[in-house]
Amino acid sequence: MKSFLWIFTLICLILDNVRGFRILVLCPHISRSHFTIFEAIAKGLTDHGHVVDVLSHFPQSSKVLNYNDISVAGSMKLQTNDLLITDISFHNPVSDFFFIHQMGEDTCNSVMSTKAALDLLHSNKKYDLIITEVFNTDCFLGFVHKFKAPFIAVSAAHIIPMAAERFGIPDNPSYIPNAFLSYDAEMNFVERFLNTVTTLSLNLMRKYYYDPKHHKVATRTSESSLMSPRMA
């Protein structure tokens, strides 16, 4: 009877281990506040027996079981308590939009030029799931194309207008304020008009100006033709 219990316990442990997935978490943004969200997700997954590879600027200071760093540290200047409120004042939606998306373009070019990212991109690894961020670039969706794995998009900041449709969130500018503006829900006619023009204009700039540039980087670094990297 004791032998049976030992064998049964061993089988349960093996089956429990088999259920674990191999997951890739992509957090290339240079802000630690964004990384904190993804780090918590990754560690939560490892606690449940999954093996997680994390591409980021913030490698762990000590070994974490089932957590594997793919470090791109040093490829960019990090934003850790050195960003002034005047840098993100959100008084001018156009300049704020370009500030955030230029940061995304810089991230795309810098991170995708690192040995760590290129080695991953050209590896033969297999992933059951990829977790990435919806923010200022879709450049890293090239990894989804490469590994042909399902992916989950996470937002670690406010939902920018061009991301709302991807989450199925209503984004009617006639009554929902644009995140780049300072309007509240009680907009007058002029504010509704400006809100609508701003939302449509910024969405078009993202789609026809920044997305193609990021797509070129993703295609160049992957050395293959990629479909459009946009999620939607």
Side-chain angles (χ1 to χ4, degrees):
M1 184 64 179
K2 288 184 178 180
S3 297
F4 172 77
L5 289 176
W6 276 109
I7 294 173
F8 179 75
T9 302
L10 180 61
I11 292 174
C12 289
L13 290 173
I14 293 174
L15 290 176
D16 183 67
N17 186 56
V18 168
R19 287 203 303 270
F21 292 111
R22 190 166 192 91
I23 301 170
L24 174 63
V25 175
L26 300 171
C27 185
H29 188 56
I30 56 178
S31 171
R32 180 173 285 278
S33 62
H34 285 239
F35 173 72
T36 298
I37 303 297
F38 286 86
E39 181 184 36
I41 293 172
K43 288 185 175 179
L45 290 168
T46 62
D47 288 343
H48 286 79
H50 304 293
V51 177
V52 184
D53 293 347
V54 182
L55 184 147
S56 78
H57 298 274
F58 305 96
Q60 298 296 300
S61 57
S62 59
K63 179 65 178 177
V64 177
L65 182 64
N66 291 334
Y67 184 114
N68 304 310
D69 280 306
I70 302 175
S71 176
V72 293
S75 60
M76 299 182 70
K77 182 180 183 298
L78 301 182
Q79 287 185 343
T80 51
N81 298 322
D82 63 351
L83 186 64
L84 300 176
I85 191 63
T86 52
D87 293 332
I88 50 172
S89 58
F90 295 99
H91 290 313
N92 185 325
V94 175
S95 62
D96 292 336
F97 172 88
F98 278 107
F99 172 80
I100 289 176
H101 284 81
Q102 184 59 51
M103 190 188 305
E105 183 177 348
D106 293 342
T107 300
C108 182
N109 282 296
S110 297
V111 173
M112 291 304 294
S113 298
T114 63
K115 183 178 184 301
L118 291 173
D119 285 349
L120 174 63
L121 190 62
H122 299 298
S123 71
N124 294 318
K125 291 185 176 182
K126 303 291 184 182
Y127 291 104
D128 300 296
L129 177 68
I130 296 175
I131 299 176
T132 187
E133 182 175 14
V134 178
F135 190 45
N136 54 11
T137 179
D138 287 332
C139 174
F140 298 91
L141 289 180
F143 286 101
V144 175
H145 177 82
K146 154 69 181 178
F147 294 115
K148 295 179 172 54
F151 73 98
I152 295 174
V154 176
S155 177
H158 61 75
I159 302 296
I160 54 179
M162 57 289 303
E165 61 178 340
R166 305 178 185 186
F167 290 111
I169 298 173
D171 190 35
N172 189 328
S174 68
Y175 70 94
I176 298 176
N178 188 297
F180 289 100
L181 296 172
S182 58
Y183 300 150
D184 57 29
E186 300 298 326
M187 294 182 286
N188 58 38
F189 176 78
V190 173
E191 290 172 337
R192 290 172 190 267
F193 174 77
L194 293 176
N195 188 65
T196 299
V197 171
T198 299
T199 298
L200 295 177
S201 299
L202 297 186
N203 284 349
L204 288 173
M205 279 194 283
R206 169 67 181 259
K207 183 175 182 179
Y208 293 107
Y209 180 70
Y210 277 107
D211 280 352
K213 295 173 73 174
H214 300 171
H215 183 230
K216 287 181 180 178
V217 176
T219 300
R220 183 180 71 246
T221 53
S222 67
E223 298 179 354
S224 65
S225 179
L226 301 179
M227 60 183 178
S228 172
R230 297 188 75 245
M231 295 181 195

